[in-house]
Amino acid sequence: MPGSRGFDVKRYSVFAIAREALRWHRGWERAWATPEPKPEYDVVIVGGGGHGLATAYYLGKNHGITNVAVVEKGWLGGGNTGRNTTIIRSNYLQDPSAAIYEKARSLYETMSQDLNMNVMFSPRGVMMLAQTEHEVRGYKRTEMANALQGVKTEFIGPERVKELCPIIHIEGPRYPVLGALWQARGGTARHDAVAWGYARACSAMGMHILQNTEVTGITRDASGVTGIETSRGRIATRKLGLVVAGHSGQLAEMAGFRLPIESLALQALVSEPIKPCMDVVVMANTVHGYMSQSDKGEMVIGGGTDGFNNFTQRGSFHHIEETVRALIETFPMLSRLKMLRQWGGIVDMTGDRSPIISTTPVPGIFVDCGWGTGGFKAIPGSGWAMAELMAKGQPGPLAEAFGLSRFREGRFIDESVAAGVAH
Ligand SMILES: Cc1cc2nc3c(=O)[nH]c(=O)nc-3n(C[C@H](O)[C@H](O)[C@H](O)COP(=O)(O)OP(=O)(O)OC[C@H]3O[C@@H](n4cnc5c(N)ncnc54)[C@H](O)[C@@H]3O)c2cc1C
């Protein structure tokens, strides 16, 4: 593990598993410490989701800043990080997006080794179906943009789609499959493990992971931020990162500024487990649905967001109906499946469907939000970029285009096609 200044963490290895097997698994230790809050930290990150934890990790790993607290009101990954459908891809249209998502995707390739935690990264391939002529043209354009950006994608025809995913009905009467944008090294990962892996590595560096600690206020003086009020008392800091996804508007309000963010519920559901029948991820954006199969055999299904702003972190019946109805023409086998569970998360949407990694009107406060329906895939890239911004006070190349000033200056990074429904 990185450094030995913090919580003493033993490496996970095949030898550790063998050793523990011999002593009835009684020697495993806690993955991260549960300390009392200190009165002051060099940096405080609000939000113990993937993005907040990755920011803390790269502050330590890349910039040597370890007097850091991550403050989470619930449990680690209990927000969107533990509620998403785990799709990882980087086939975005605009250059700044492709750069940060591809950086993230490439960090996922070695994350298990880097964090010494099996995050079950599974680059099984992601296909985005083209089911209208408009989509065919759009995805061919993205394929060319990706070629120039160094992101490997390919537009494939319907026969290849069928070969890669035999359960797809490609001759649907309303929405026949005309092709797909295929990213062979896209895929999925285990979302909780990503949060746990970063938390464990942060704790090993001596950082404080403070769960069940809600931020209720932000204090400032004439020169900038001075600290936070929490359910466990006041904590002083001169550098504060707000990384709270759908709650970004509320935290910004505590700090005295506004963000161009809307909060919406996004839902997903899983079917009963069945035998392996699909070893790729398929997204069907025209009909608003996407699907993959989990290692347990459940079909993991997601749809679009609610059509109105809200903070309801749970599922609703009309969404199951809408999403399954949308997918059934393309996947007729779904009509025979029972649905097991559904849930929701609160996503943070910007007008141009691109994230915000930025300084704010309050000196010392930084925000990382606006990842909307598609930020799981971005976690390592976002953490890398946000840590650089917080350590240096100004954005590096990955974050440069994602500042708040773009909304005033009209420099939008329009990803509504890549990210409107797709995840
Ligand atoms: C149903 C669904 C499906 C999705 N599918 C995908 C997908 O397939 N691929 C993909 O890339 N993305 C997907 N996403 C989006 C992705 O989950 C998010 O973009 C990402 O997880 C955001 O991570 P985060 O760390 O910014 O936020 P979160 O994980 O939400 O973490 C923010 C944390 O801040 C905490 N917090 C809030 N307020 C306070 C406070 N006052 N004090 C202390 N802590 C606070 C919350 O408790 C929360 O844990 C999906 C999202 C949902 C809901």
Side-chain angles (χ1 to χ4, degrees), residues 94-277:
Q94 310 292 350
D95 292 349
S97 324
I100 196 160
Y101 286 105
E102 178 58 15
K103 172 76 179 174
R105 201 205 55 75
S106 67
L107 288 167
Y108 267 114
E109 295 261 5
T110 56
M111 188 182 281
S112 294
Q113 291 75 23
D114 295 345
L115 299 181
N116 182 227
M117 165 81 84
N118 184 4
V119 301
M120 296 167 71
F121 176 57
S122 165
R124 58 184 71 180
V126 174
M127 63 168 80
M128 295 168 78
L129 299 183
Q131 293 179 287
T132 61
E133 286 299 337
H134 175 74
E135 268 186 319
V136 171
R137 281 194 295 274
Y139 287 146
K140 284 190 172 166
R141 180 180 174 215
T142 305
E143 179 199 24
M144 288 172 202
N146 288 165
L148 294 172
Q149 293 151 347
V151 176
K152 274 196 190 155
T153 59
E154 183 190 351
F155 188 83
I156 56 175
E159 296 74 26
R160 179 95 173 106
V161 169
K162 183 80 183 164
E163 203 183 315
L164 287 164
C165 186
I167 61 170
I168 289 190
H169 176 48
I170 57 170
E171 284 149 6
R174 281 186 313 159
Y175 298 112
V177 174
L178 306 173
L181 185 65
W182 169 241
Q183 183 166 25
R185 293 299 291 178
T188 58
R190 167 110 196 254
H191 42 25
D192 317 280
V194 172
W196 299 335
Y198 279 127
R200 184 165 163 265
C202 287
S203 194
M205 285 189 276
M207 297 180 184
H208 280 188
I209 310 290
L210 306 174
Q211 296 183 89
N212 297 314
T213 310
E214 180 166 4
V215 175
T216 52
I218 294 174
T219 53
R220 41 191 282 198
D221 63 14
S223 60
V225 67
T226 54
I228 53 174
E229 310 281 355
T230 80
S231 51
R232 293 168 75 189
R234 192 180 132 66
I235 298 174
T237 188
R238 281 286 180 181
K239 262 193 188 179
L240 181 65
L242 306 180
V243 196
V244 291
H247 293 90
S248 299
Q250 296 171 347
L251 269 291
E253 201 180 344
M254 290 179 201
F257 59 90
R258 292 189 69 196
L259 286 173
I261 290 277
E262 293 189 338
S263 294
L264 293 151
L266 175 68
Q267 299 183 30
L269 59 149
V270 289
S271 74
E272 60 188 326
I274 52 174
K275 288 197 171 161
C277 64

Side-chain angles (χ1 to χ4, degrees), residues 1 88 95 116 170 265 279 358 408:
M1 292 303 298
I88 296 169
D95 292 349
N116 182 227
I170 57 170
D279 61 0
S358 184
R408 270 196 310 275

